[in-house]
Amino acid sequence: MRIVLVGPPGAGKGTQAVRLAEKLSIPHISTGDLFRANISGQTELGKLAKSYMDAGELVPDEVTIAMAKDRMEQPDAEGGFLLDGFPRNVSQAEALDELLTGESITLDAVLDLEVSEDEVVKRIAGRRICRNDSSHVFHVTYSKPKREGVCDVCGGELYQRDDDHEDTVRKRLEVYHSQTEPIIDYYKAQGLVVTIPALGPVDEITRRALEALKREDATQ
Ligand SMILES: [Zn+2]
């Protein structure tokens, strides 16, 4: 299957992407990984991307698209792939269509993880991270430490990252609404969008997504 995964920050997209790719035996292609791989591998595209980033500028869509194209042409992506973080705007979606048409392939589904804005804010703004180890993550509602403000694992001090403050989260959501959400309508016009509620336990969301994708596959 060839799938695009979309959803606002805080929808658990990264987690679901890894799980779904594994279940469907297709590579998980995330823009974050693409950038890291190209930059650390010092590819031409990586060097180009880095020059923009070093100058504090946004990496142009063409560079991101070229990286995604390279990756999708690897042998392991022949039978399908799951795109995560790309396309992130309508012009990237159009470029992706063009690219796929050139290869005579089509997308099978665009999986939209739906979660309300208030839920996103609650999820992200409630996160508390340990100062000693950023993998020690707690939540003021969903995963309370035994003692408030203290890490259960190592006793370190828990804090809220700047990125996780409510006003920052709301700003990130605004960017998502204005830039990325329009691609859902773009793909709806192609009959590709499968929306599932991204609420509840992680396993349950994966199960829901797989079922919805199976239904979508059967209707084609
Ligand atoms: Zn800790």
Side-chain angles (χ1 to χ4, degrees), residues 200-219:
V202 171
D203 282 341
E204 173 61 23
I205 297 167
T206 308
R207 196 189 57 73
R208 236 178 257 159
L210 287 170
E211 263 180 21
L213 289 171
K214 216 191 288 173
R215 276 199 302 274
E216 176 72 13
D217 208 22
T219 58

Side-chain angles (χ1 to χ4, degrees), residues 129-138 150-158:
I129 319 284
C130 174
R131 287 213 189 269
N132 294 338
D133 185 334
S134 61
S135 75
H136 302 164
V137 182
F138 298 85
V150 181
C151 174
D152 284 357
V153 185
C154 71
E157 185 199 347
L158 300 179

Side-chain angles (χ1 to χ4, degrees), residues 3-147:
I3 303 166
V4 169
L5 188 62
V6 290
K13 202 156 57 77
T15 307
Q16 291 302 330
V18 171
R19 297 168 66 97
L20 291 170
E22 197 191 303
K23 295 267 187 199
L24 297 165
S25 306
I26 49 178
H28 165 215
I29 303 179
S30 86
T31 26
D33 290 345
L34 282 181
F35 274 80
R36 274 187 290 276
N38 277 280
I39 290 170
S40 69
Q42 301 197 338
T43 65
E44 287 309 312
L45 289 170
K47 285 182 209 165
L48 193 56
K50 197 170 179 301
S51 69
Y52 286 100
M53 289 156 83
D54 286 347
E57 288 169 35
L58 281 176
V59 178
D61 283 349
E62 296 81 47
V63 178
T64 309
I65 291 158
M67 282 184 192
K69 181 174 188 289
D70 267 3
R71 182 63 189 85
M72 287 188 288
E73 284 170 351
Q74 302 292 313
D76 67 335
E78 221 166 83
F81 47 73
L82 186 146
L83 297 177
D84 165 18
F86 172 85
R88 65 166 59 245
N89 56 46
V90 171
S91 90
Q92 288 189 359
E94 286 167 350
L96 176 63
D97 270 351
E98 210 170 291
L99 205 146
L100 295 176
T101 305
E103 317 255 332
S104 304
I105 53 179
T106 51
L107 290 173
D108 295 300
V110 173
L111 184 67
D112 172 28
L113 298 181
E114 194 176 53
V115 45
S116 77
E117 179 152 341
D118 285 343
E119 177 62 23
V120 166
V121 171
K122 203 169 151 192
R123 281 186 194 183
I124 301 180
R127 254 187 227 155
R128 295 295 179 270
I129 319 284
C130 174
R131 287 213 189 269
N132 294 338
D133 185 334
S134 61
S135 75
H136 302 164
V137 182
F138 298 85
H139 192 281
V140 295
T141 313
Y142 303 124
S143 170
K144 281 186 190 176
K146 288 196 187 77
R147 266 182 61 204

